[in-house]
Amino acid sequence: MSVEAAPRPVGVDIQENEENRAVVEAIEADNDDLTVRHMPGIIRLTKSGQLVINQASIEERLGRPWETHEFQMAMISYFGEFVEWDDDRIVIAWKH
Amino acid sequence: MTVPTQKPARKLSMQQRYSALTHDLDWDPTYVTEEEIYPYTTFEGIKVHDWSKWEDPFRLTVEAYNKYQAEKDRRLYAVLDGFAQSQGQLGLTEARYMNAMKIFLQGIPSGEYQAHRNFSHLARYFNGPGARFASLCQSLDELRHAQTEVHTLSHYNKFFGGMHDWSRMSDRVWYLSVPKSFFDDAGTAGPFEWLIAIGFSFEYLLTNLLFVPFMSGAAFNGDLPTMTFGFSAQSDESRHMTLGLEGIKFMLEQDEDNLPIVQAWLDKWFWRGYRLISLVAGMMDYMLPKRVMSWKEAFELYFEEQMLNGLFKDLEYYGIKPPRHVQWAIDEKEILSHQVYWVLYQYSHAAAFTTTIPDAEDQAWLEEAYPDTWPVFKSVVWDKAQRVVDSGERYFNPGLPQLCQVCQIPMGFTEPGNPLVQCQRHSIYEGERYDFCSDGCQWIFDREPEKYVQAWLPVHQIYQGNCGGPTLPDVAVWYGLEPGDGGEYIGSMDHQDWLAWHAPTIKEG
Ligand SMILES: [Fe+2]
Ligand SMILES: [Fe+2]
């Protein structure tokens, strides 16, 4: 599935803790031009167009199986729309 | 024990599991009509042609839902235990921080419970299985939020005032009628309006402003339980935002006749929600000893940038325009928190929290965050309040404030562009005059006057003799306030206890 993304920023706020370090690192590796902002307890990742979260990249860093449902444990908030949420990846973008 | 001879079937994909366990469990009724089973989804005028088009992007099933919610609770309760065992309350920045948590406890869990009830209504009465299942998950989430909020803050109740009777207070106390009437208003609307009110306007548009900076603020002020609870709740919130967004898009995609109805609800509920969270503005800028960001900055980040420049560009596709009174909210961002906190300051003798004049450190922060408006506010309001304190007194407003008929906040907001002139609007309905804080609240009233004339306004109720008696002490008893719960922070019971706990010598007991 290819996603036609409008070039407006989308983003996700992630709880900053040890578990989520691998998630954040994977997102950083898989998304060019990511903006990262730190607030107490929170890491905010924003990017123009679309933001992709890949299962394989996270599993590689965690060293254990990770199902995409698990992203719900990490995420505090987001903006944009979940245009895809499958076994292997999650994509946030604006549809229009 | 039997040994399986066949290879197990390949695991279903997420999409297949979701379909099999939600949509495919639905059936078409044969011996009753659809209208008999789902009687509430037509009277609001929303036209739906195909309920199967409603899909949950999370593709959540009962099994996955239970698994992750259980894990969230497990993590939260581990933190609560550790905090209690280590006497974590001693590590807060200051006791006055707790005032923000008192308002939170008094105002929010009952709102969560209302949300639980109304989403369970949707979970039963929406025609489509996708919409019902997502509503069911949210209904359970909201119950979890109510319970975990109360549980999280119960530890502090052992050490601080004002937290002992939150459910009674949320029903009775003047400032708590603001959240209560908000949820009453939404809950007495139809299911689609509820979804636009709470799911979309509140959850998607506005809760980031409420929760994210606030929970980050909890982290910054040493309040580990609230931070953990808040992030735990917010992780559900992402699903709730999605339900709201799915809901509005579903209505807009189903029939173009739905557009004007949805737009009017959006206009109404943006303003209702925005006025409600103005309380948060006051808490964020004035009640946290250490702040993460100002209301103004949060508003710019979480509302103007994400919503106006992101979401509303997307909704333009369907013909949706930004909320009717959004410019008013933008214009207010520099003054909102000053005005709200000043109201809380003058009336805190009748409240279950305390307030105080911003100290030197606070003032330096306010000056930096609000270079254009803080100096004016300081000289008009706080310098005077300080002179009263210097003379050995403390200013409390001796009268009762007039409340806005719609948002129920005391009339303390000002005219756009003129922060020194109080804004007052009124409408006449059936020969009676009703007053409002803003164009937004007046517009809401004028659309449905027959609804808002029924408002339970705390000040009117006191004057009508329905709140325990004619004097302030009578009302305070009826509210469930105990001596020391309200008033000035400096010298209050919480303040004295705090100083004693942190005194350099340990008393022998
Ligand atoms: Fe909630
Ligand atoms: Fe109002």
Side-chain angles (χ1 to χ4, degrees), chain B residues 204-399:
Chain B
Y204 197 99
L205 284 186
L206 297 168
T207 45
N208 281 317
L209 273 167
L210 169 68
F211 267 96
V212 181
F214 208 65
M215 295 311 155
S216 193
F220 215 22
N221 285 281
D223 184 1
L224 194 64
T226 302
M227 181 206 77
T228 311
F229 151 72
F231 288 160
S232 184
Q234 269 301 123
S235 67
D236 300 345
E237 221 66 42
S238 302
R239 251 187 300 105
H240 304 172
M241 291 167 67
T242 302
L243 175 57
L245 188 60
E246 274 306 291
I248 192 171
K249 289 199 164 185
F250 177 75
M251 290 179 221
L252 295 168
E253 280 166 9
Q254 282 293 310
D255 198 300
E256 58 187 33
D257 288 353
N258 294 339
L259 173 62
I261 304 175
V262 169
Q263 179 74 55
W265 285 340
L266 172 61
D267 292 345
K268 169 182 170 181
W269 286 101
F270 163 73
W271 191 258
R272 291 288 274 122
Y274 166 71
R275 268 291 179 256
L276 169 63
I277 61 168
S278 68
L279 289 174
V280 179
M283 288 152 80
M284 266 173 71
D285 284 347
Y286 284 85
M287 293 180 127
L288 303 181
K290 282 175 92 177
R291 296 128 171 122
V292 175
M293 63 171 74
S294 66
W295 164 262
K296 179 183 159 218
E297 196 191 347
F299 187 84
E300 286 168 352
L301 186 66
Y302 287 104
F303 189 75
E304 290 183 75
E305 198 180 305
Q306 291 189 183
M307 299 307 160
L308 292 180
N309 297 332
L311 172 71
F312 279 97
K313 296 277 187 297
D314 188 273
L315 293 176
E316 229 173 60
Y317 171 85
Y318 302 96
I320 285 284
K321 294 196 225 35
R324 183 178 288 256
H325 296 100
V326 72
Q327 191 57 45
W328 189 302
I330 295 170
D331 293 343
E332 268 185 352
K333 69 186 175 191
E334 299 255 1
I335 52 171
L336 188 71
S337 65
H338 307 321
Q339 297 185 334
V340 169
Y341 188 71
W342 174 237
V343 168
L344 298 180
Y345 180 85
Q346 329 172 34
Y347 293 106
S348 54
H349 56 310
F353 57 80
T354 61
T355 52
T356 194
I357 297 175
D359 66 20
E361 218 176 291
D362 297 333
Q363 295 204 12
W365 182 88
L366 284 158
E367 170 111 46
E368 208 186 308
Y370 297 98
D372 297 332
T373 53
W374 166 254
V376 181
F377 237 83
K378 178 182 179 315
S379 69
V380 172
V381 168
W382 297 114
D383 288 349
K384 279 188 201 158
Q386 186 62 51
R387 282 198 291 278
V388 176
V389 169
D390 293 343
S391 72
E393 305 274 323
R394 162 53 151 103
Y395 173 69
F396 294 113
N397 193 319

Side-chain angles (χ1 to χ4, degrees), chain B residues 18-40:
Chain B
Y18 172 68
S19 291
L21 294 171
T22 56
H23 289 246
D24 293 358
L25 294 178
D26 196 38
W27 67 90
D28 292 324
T30 50
Y31 57 92
V32 283
T33 63
E34 193 172 335
E35 285 68 39
E36 284 175 276
I37 304 179
Y38 306 113
Y40 304 120

